[in-house]
Every structure is written in C-alpha cells, then in structure tokens.
C-alpha cells in the first residue's frame, strides 16, 4: 500500500512542512515582533544540519547519503548560492508581506523555471502543463491585486526569492545529475554552504 501511494505521501508531507514553516516564520515576525530574519534563517539551517547528520549517522542506508567530496561540493556551489539567496530572501519577504500575498507572488517561480528550462535546455512542457501553470500564475496575480497591505520592499524581496528559487531548481537538476548526487547528497552541502 505504501509503495502505491508513496509519491502522494511525499507530496503531502512536503506541503504540510512547507505551510507549517511559512506560518511559523510569519508568527515569529508578527506575533513576537522578532526583527532578525537572518538569525532565524541561520538557526533553522543549523537545526536542519544537525537533523540531517543524525539521519546520516542512524539511517544512512535508508536515505543513501554519499560520502563528502570537496570536488563535488565545489561543483555544487552555484546551486547552494541560489538556495541561500532563496532562503534569506524568503524569510525577509515574509517579514514584510502577509502569507497569502507571499504565497501568491511565489507562484511566479514555476513560470520562471519553465522559461529557464526552455532557454537553457530546450525543454518545453506539454501544453496541458503550460496552461495549468499560466492559469495558476494568473490566479495568483489576480489575488495579488487585492493586497491592501502594499509593501514595495516585501514585493522586491519575494521577487528575488522567486528568481533565486528558479535558479536553484534549474541548477539542482543540472548539477545534481552531473555530480551523481541524489537529493540527500545535495541537501547537507546546501545547508553547509548556507552557513
């Protein structure tokens, strides 16, 4: 049963964690008036690095963590930089924007990735996927028109977040494949470089 619905459970878990961390970060800034987004980001990266290393120690065969190689780490540096900018800009943007507006503008990442894949790799997604992404992005833009808490600084930071997320996703596809590392091999390197 688990094999049959594995992809669904992975997507559901990712969605829950993504929404939870977004709401948690927004609560830290709004409810507790915390004013240090970089401190929050670095703390979360340290905790993630500790957690990943615990997984590596106690369950490396389950997740397939590869050994560390400096040459692979250096090749993955552009991907790590994109991820770092994405993380920092996302936390800063969330400080200035409400969660629905932050999420709406982040929907533009998919269009940017599709454009990047077309320009860099000559990949064009099927027409139905293109239509779905355009409809989703248009819906996000319409939702954004009703934002009554307009904050240009927040908009600029979330735009940087969307662009750097796209850069990161384009790099992880290319560099992850070239280096032979799976997601679990790339993740600790991203965390390490983010610190």
């Amino acid at each position: 049963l688990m094999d049959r619905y594995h992809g669904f459970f992975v997507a559901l878990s990712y969605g829950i964690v993504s929404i939870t961390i977004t709401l948690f970060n927004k609560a830290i800034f709004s409810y507790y008036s915390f004013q240090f987004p970089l401190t929050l980001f670095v703390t979360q990266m340290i905790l993630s690095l500790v957690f990943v290393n615990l997984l590596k120690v106690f369950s490396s065969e389950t997740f397939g963590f590869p050994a560390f190689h400096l040459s692979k780490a250096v090749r993955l540096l552009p991907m790590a930089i994109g991820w770092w900018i994405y993380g920092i800009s996302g936390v800063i943007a969330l400080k200035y924007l409400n969660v629905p507006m932050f999420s709406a503008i982040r929907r533009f990442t998919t269009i940017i990735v599709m454009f990047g894949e077309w320009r860099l790799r000559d990949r064009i997604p099927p027409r139905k996927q293109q239509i779905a992404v355009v409809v989703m992005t248009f819906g996000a833009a319409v939702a954004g028109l009703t934002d009554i808490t307009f904050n240009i600084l927040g908009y600029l930071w979330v735009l940087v977040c969307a662009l750097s997320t796209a850069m990161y996703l384009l790099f992880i596809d290319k560099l992850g494949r070239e280096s032979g590392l799976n997601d679990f091999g790339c993740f600790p390197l991203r965390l390490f470089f983010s610190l």
Side-chain angles (χ1 to χ4, degrees), residues 67-78 179 181 189 193:
F68 178 82
H69 296 289
L70 185 59
S71 61
K72 285 185 181 182
V74 170
R75 264 193 282 164
L76 295 175
L77 189 59
S179 69
L181 292 175
L189 293 173
F193 281 128

Side-chain angles (χ1 to χ4, degrees), residues 17-54:
V17 169
S18 179
I19 290 168
T20 302
I21 195 70
T22 300
L23 294 175
F24 172 82
N25 287 344
K26 185 60 181 175
I28 293 292
F29 294 127
S30 297
Y31 187 73
Y32 295 105
S33 300
F34 189 74
Q35 298 299 314
F36 307 100
L38 296 179
T39 302
L40 179 64
F41 178 76
V42 170
T43 302
Q44 289 174 347
M45 294 311 99
I46 290 170
L47 291 173
S48 296
L49 196 54
V50 168
F51 181 71
V52 165
N53 280 307
L54 286 173

Side-chain angles (χ1 to χ4, degrees), residues 61-136:
E61 67 283 343
T62 302
F63 295 101
F65 289 107
F68 178 82
H69 296 289
L70 185 59
S71 61
K72 285 185 181 182
V74 170
R75 264 193 282 164
L76 295 175
L77 189 59
M79 176 199 62
I81 290 170
W83 189 78
W84 183 81
I85 295 169
Y86 144 65
I88 295 288
S89 60
V91 172
I92 293 172
L94 201 52
K95 177 181 175 186
Y96 295 107
L97 296 176
N98 58 51
V99 173
M101 192 70 240
F102 174 80
S103 298
I105 296 173
R106 286 283 317 261
R107 295 308 116 221
F108 287 91
T109 300
T110 310
I111 288 231
I112 298 167
V113 169
M114 284 174 49
F115 179 77
E117 290 207 336
W118 169 64
R119 296 295 297 157
L120 299 173
R121 297 189 188 94
D122 206 26
R123 286 189 203 159
I124 300 174
R127 176 67 83 203
K128 287 182 180 181
Q129 286 180 8
Q130 291 176 25
I131 291 169
V133 169
V134 168
V135 168
M136 177 188 72

Side-chain angles (χ1 to χ4, degrees), residues 119-177:
R119 296 295 297 157
L120 299 173
R121 297 189 188 94
D122 206 26
R123 286 189 203 159
I124 300 174
R127 176 67 83 203
K128 287 182 180 181
Q129 286 180 8
Q130 291 176 25
I131 291 169
V133 169
V134 168
V135 168
M136 177 188 72
T137 306
F138 178 75
V142 169
L145 293 175
T146 63
D147 183 23
I148 59 173
T149 61
F150 182 85
N151 186 307
I152 191 68
L153 196 55
Y155 290 150
L156 291 174
W157 277 111
V158 79
L159 181 60
V160 168
C161 183
L163 289 168
S164 59
T165 302
M167 181 178 96
Y168 159 72
L169 291 171
L170 290 167
F171 273 125
I172 196 169
D173 179 47
K174 180 182 186 307
L175 297 175
R177 229 177 326 113

Side-chain angles (χ1 to χ4, degrees), residues 5-20:
Y5 295 106
H6 178 76
F8 171 77
F9 287 120
V10 168
L12 180 65
S13 298
Y14 175 81
I16 290 170
V17 169
S18 179
I19 290 168
T20 302

